[in-house]
Amino acid sequence: MFSRLYLTRSAQRARLYSTQKAIFLNQKQLETLEELQSVPIAQVPLSTEAIVRSSPEASFGRKRIGAVSLPRPLIQGITALIEESDKRLIRTDALRLYESLRSTSRMTNAATQAHEPHTLAYGPRESIAYAAGVMPSTYAATFNVLAEVSQRISDFGPKTMLDFGTGPGTALWAAQEIFTDLQSCVGVDLSEDMLTIAEQLQASLSPNVDIEFKRYLAVVPHAPKPDLVVSAFTLGDLPSQVLQRSIVEQLWDQTGDILVLIDRGTPIGFSNIARARQWILDGDKNVHVVAPCPHDGPCPLLFSPDAKPDKIWCHFSQRVQRPPFLMKTKHSKFNSEDSKYAYVVLRRGSRPNAESGHVSDAAYTWPRLVQPPLKKHGHVVMDTCTKEGEIQRMVIPKSQGKIPYRDARKVAWGDLFPHASKNKVVTRISKGVVVDEK
């Protein structure tokens, strides 16, 4: 038995050794090998050329910033508010908030039911529930948009800011994290209880920025206008399009340089943003869109004859790291979630010249991905919003080149893509057409 096992193992070793191949070198190859062995490693010349993997244009157009975490002072301030309140009531009120937001996420048929945005009043309980259950996601979306503004417009350093519909001061916290030159901010919200929470949270930080909270937006004719105006997740709370248009026009009149509008990433939220964008473009010719659109025409996803805004709408996603109080409020074991949002950034002045030679100016004409790309074997399919004002499908094959193909493999939903497709693009949704409401 022992001899049979020994012979079997010997045969296995023999088969293993027999699979190894011998390398035969001629005389010239042997001389070259000896010369290489005689050279010290320190004297071997190293290549100084940089390895190019992706283009700097693709890096500039990248929108994703990873998971966003709330500032530690903000987490501590909200945790202190929760500790002073009844946690069971916070959970109940948070569920009511989620239900009210969910009920108005989809468009309704006007023939059967008129669309009415939720009219949930933010009292003391609802305000605390909003800070505990909704504020982290809205903060992440606002942080992403303001970070994109800071990256795309490097010379933009606002010193004054207006936050309309500030709530618990969400946009103020995000702006202070990104823009270090802020000197004074004004937060406006109709709810007195929301402003009380905003003041308590800002007091926990003790910033060097002069912050003032008001219930109404005061219009002073000859007063200097703030450099940055933000209205985040507010348009959906207004009960009618007439009031929405009035508020948007007032905010644009108060804007000194840049206006940022953000709403929920639902068909209703996208429609609110697209209409507000068009109202400003129709009322003022000295304005251009910074993001997300690479054009100043009507939005094809809402105003095109081919548009189906209840099925395909322009929105984006930002991951946020859930603080401990949010995980307890939602009774969840997952420490992250995705915040969906729609937005537009408008700036006074004419659109920059894309042929100036600067990457920041050329980015104004790059197509933006409005849906996640389809990364197939040997090619990448992307649905993009283009400078022609259309939604086009472009395909980047591997044969187009190493750098364009690698950029296409690394591109993500919401990014700007700097390369044109070598293949013919397909127009999925034609240009938008705006009918004069007057």
Side-chain angles (χ1 to χ4, degrees):
M1 183 67 184
F2 176 77
S3 59
R4 182 180 300 176
L5 179 62
Y6 178 77
L7 293 175
T8 303
R9 291 182 176 178
S10 300
Q12 292 176 353
R13 293 193 189 98
R15 287 196 298 269
L16 178 62
Y17 295 152
S18 62
T19 57
Q20 296 179 356
K21 297 181 179 179
I23 300 176
F24 298 94
L25 302 178
N26 55 28
Q27 185 64 28
K28 185 176 181 180
Q29 291 174 340
L30 287 174
E31 294 175 356
T32 304
L33 180 61
E34 292 177 356
E35 292 178 359
L36 291 176
Q37 291 178 348
S38 62
V39 177
I41 298 179
Q43 298 180 5
V44 176
L46 299 177
S47 177
T48 58
E49 297 181 359
I51 300 177
V52 179
R53 296 187 178 275
S54 60
S55 64
E57 292 82 4
S59 300
F60 182 81
R62 188 170 294 119
K63 180 177 173 60
R64 62 185 184 275
I65 57 176
V68 173
S69 301
L70 272 66
R72 185 175 297 274
L74 180 57
I75 296 177
Q76 295 174 351
I78 297 177
T79 303
L81 289 175
I82 295 175
E83 293 298 329
E84 297 174 358
S85 307
D86 189 342
K87 298 181 179 59
R88 291 176 298 179
L89 287 179
I90 293 177
R91 164 71 176 174
T92 302
D93 296 333
L95 292 178
R96 290 197 298 117
L97 284 176
Y98 300 149
E99 182 61 31
S100 64
L101 296 174
R102 193 180 301 113
S103 63
T104 57
S105 61
R106 288 280 178 179
M107 293 183 176
T108 57
N109 189 354
T112 58
Q113 182 182 359
H115 165 61
E116 295 182 359
H118 70 279
T119 56
L120 187 64
Y122 287 97
R125 288 173 47 181
E126 291 80 6
S127 299
I128 296 178
Y130 185 93
V134 182
M135 186 177 180
S137 61
T138 58
Y139 173 88
T142 307
F143 186 91
N144 182 291
V145 174
L146 295 182
E148 182 181 5
V149 172
S150 178
Q151 178 189 4
R152 291 279 305 277
I153 311 174
S154 58
D155 58 346
F156 177 66
K159 293 181 172 54
T160 56
M161 174 183 172
L162 170 63
D163 182 15
F164 182 80
T166 184
T170 309
L172 298 179
W173 279 90
Q176 292 178 69
E177 288 290 319
I178 296 173
F179 302 111
T180 58
D181 296 334
L182 274 176
Q183 297 178 359
S184 64
C185 300
V186 177
V188 179
D189 200 285
L190 186 62
S191 174
E192 188 70 30
D193 298 294
M194 277 288 196
L195 295 180
T196 301
I197 291 181
E199 292 175 350
Q200 294 177 2
L201 294 178
Q202 290 291 340
S204 65
L205 179 60
S206 300
N208 298 324
V209 182
D210 182 17
I211 300 178
E212 181 183 4
F213 293 100
K214 299 179 180 179
R215 290 196 63 190
Y216 301 99
L217 179 61
V219 179
V220 182
H222 301 289
K225 298 180 180 180
D227 302 328
L228 175 65
V229 177
V230 179
S231 179
F233 303 94
T234 304
L235 294 179
D237 293 339
L238 302 178
S240 65
Q241 293 186 17
V242 176
L243 185 57
Q244 288 180 4
R245 181 165 189 169
S246 176
I247 293 297
V248 168
E249 291 176 350
Q250 292 183 41
L251 291 177
W252 180 244
D253 291 338
Q254 293 293 311
T255 302
D257 194 357
I258 288 182
L259 171 64
V260 178
L261 301 176
I262 309 174
D263 210 337
R264 291 180 292 158
T266 61
I268 294 295
F270 154 70
S271 301
N272 294 335
I273 294 296
R275 282 193 296 265
R277 171 187 179 274
Q278 194 59 40
W279 290 334
I280 296 176
L281 292 175
D282 290 342
D284 192 347
K285 301 304 179 183
N286 190 30
V287 58
H288 65 277
V289 179
V290 177
C293 319
H295 62 91
D296 295 333
C299 178
L301 291 174
L302 183 64
F303 297 106
S304 172
D306 306 328
K308 297 179 180 179
D310 57 334
K311 296 183 179 180
I312 301 178
W313 65 96
C314 180
H315 67 292
F316 307 95
S317 178
Q318 172 58 50
R319 178 153 295 184
V320 55
Q321 185 174 353
R322 286 175 174 171
F325 65 80
L326 181 59
M327 297 175 63
K328 294 178 181 178
T329 302
K330 291 192 171 184
H331 289 184
S332 175
K333 296 181 180 180
F334 299 100
N335 63 349
S336 65
E337 66 179 59
D338 294 330
S339 174
K340 305 296 177 59
Y341 64 95
Y343 77 105
V344 66
V345 180
L346 300 118
R347 190 179 194 185
R348 293 192 179 275
S350 59
R351 197 170 189 83
N353 184 11
E355 299 179 358
S356 63
H358 299 284
V359 177
S360 58
D361 295 339
Y364 279 88
T365 61
W366 294 345
R368 184 183 296 271
L369 275 71
V370 295
Q371 288 184 336
L374 302 176
K375 299 179 181 180
K376 303 293 186 177
H377 180 69
H379 66 279
V380 180
V381 182
M382 297 177 286
D383 289 337
T384 61
C385 180
T386 62
K387 61 182 180 180
E388 291 81 10
E390 300 174 341
I391 302 299
Q392 298 179 354
R393 171 163 290 186
M394 55 189 302
V395 179
I396 304 297
K398 191 174 184 180
S399 60
Q400 184 163 338
K402 184 176 182 180
I403 293 180
Y405 182 68
R406 178 179 174 81
D407 291 342
R409 299 296 298 184
K410 297 299 180 180
V411 77
W413 177 20
D415 290 352
L416 294 170
F417 191 71
H419 306 287
S421 176
K422 63 176 288 188
N423 300 328
K424 183 179 179 181
V425 297
V426 178
T427 300
R428 297 196 62 194
I429 301 178
S430 59
K431 295 181 180 180
V433 179
V434 177
V435 180
D436 191 359
E437 299 179 355
K438 298 180 181 179

